[in-house]
Amino acid sequence: MKDDKGCVYRNLYVAGIDTIDIGMNETSGNTDDPSEFCIVIKKRTFGMNPAKYVAYYKDRPNNINEAYLQALMLLQWYNCKAVLESTKVSFLTWMRNKGAANLYLMKRPRACLSDIDKGKSTLYGAQASPTIIRHGLDLICSYIDEYSHEIWFEEILQQLISYSYELKRKFDIVAAMQMCELGDEEYSGVVAC
């Protein structure tokens, strides 16, 4: 969405990334059903327009740089920042090497800090602790309660329907959505401009 000057709004979109550190070529043959890289893009509530997921990319390419490049292009296209899981560092390193980390990655959301009142972190991404995962799942549930009619991607719907906390590593889209919802929560009160 663009303003009257043809510029893409800032803070209108937010992203979440469930990243991986290696591509399929580097994955061991003994690895059973490895995770995939996943990025989701959410258009935030704007005026009378409801919040909705507008794009996603999920893959485990042979060369992990392909997934990283696709993610960067999505972030540039939607002019947004992403929250990523902080335990995976290869994507963050790749983004730093491209000079894109500060432009397209969010610092740790306040909901992930031990002292929310102190405010800001210099670290990127959210921890994958049980507390943060549950909070992210609660945010997804709230989104579904209010906007389920706005979910148009069949693969996203299938993962949401079949999600299991015990088997959470098999649900890359849901993990990316958790990060995205944490980012949207962080933007609470920030108006797109």
Side-chain angles (χ1 to χ4, degrees), residues 11-84:
N11 305 321
L12 180 57
Y13 297 93
V14 64
I17 299 175
D18 179 36
T19 188
I20 55 177
D21 283 338
I22 57 174
M24 198 57 135
N25 279 346
E26 302 157 313
T27 304
S28 164
N30 298 329
T31 304
D32 184 32
D33 192 23
S35 290
E36 294 181 298
F37 180 95
C38 184
I39 178 174
V40 296
I41 308 284
K42 179 183 178 186
K43 181 178 176 190
R44 300 174 60 230
T45 302
F46 185 67
M48 297 298 291
N49 297 315
K52 70 171 83 173
Y53 283 88
V54 296
Y56 79 100
Y57 165 80
K58 182 174 82 71
D59 192 17
R60 189 177 192 101
N62 288 329
N63 182 340
I64 193 60
N65 290 320
E66 291 175 32
Y68 293 172
L69 185 58
Q70 289 297 318
L72 178 56
M73 288 190 296
L74 279 167
L75 294 170
Q76 290 171 328
W77 180 260
Y78 286 99
N79 191 27
C80 66
K81 289 192 173 197
V83 175
L84 66 139

Side-chain angles (χ1 to χ4, degrees), residues 11 16 120-121 141 153 178 186:
N11 305 321
K120 303 225 178 217
S121 173
C141 286
F153 297 106
Q178 290 170 5
E186 184 69 11

Side-chain angles (χ1 to χ4, degrees), residues 54-142:
V54 296
Y56 79 100
Y57 165 80
K58 182 174 82 71
D59 192 17
R60 189 177 192 101
N62 288 329
N63 182 340
I64 193 60
N65 290 320
E66 291 175 32
Y68 293 172
L69 185 58
Q70 289 297 318
L72 178 56
M73 288 190 296
L74 279 167
L75 294 170
Q76 290 171 328
W77 180 260
Y78 286 99
N79 191 27
C80 66
K81 289 192 173 197
V83 175
L84 66 139
E85 184 186 323
S86 61
T87 57
K88 306 287 195 235
V89 296
S90 292
F91 182 65
L92 174 57
T93 302
W94 188 88
M95 290 288 280
R96 282 182 171 144
N97 289 339
K98 298 284 183 199
N102 285 331
L103 292 171
Y104 298 110
L105 297 179
M106 265 191 192
K107 300 289 184 177
R108 182 160 291 165
R110 285 178 301 222
C112 302
L113 300 175
S114 57
D115 186 354
I116 294 172
D117 295 329
K118 286 212 173 170
K120 303 225 178 217
S121 173
T122 58
L123 303 173
Y124 288 101
Q127 316 89 309
S129 69
T131 303
I132 300 302
I133 290 170
R134 285 193 182 91
H135 180 62
L137 291 172
D138 288 344
L139 293 172
I140 290 173
C141 286
S142 295

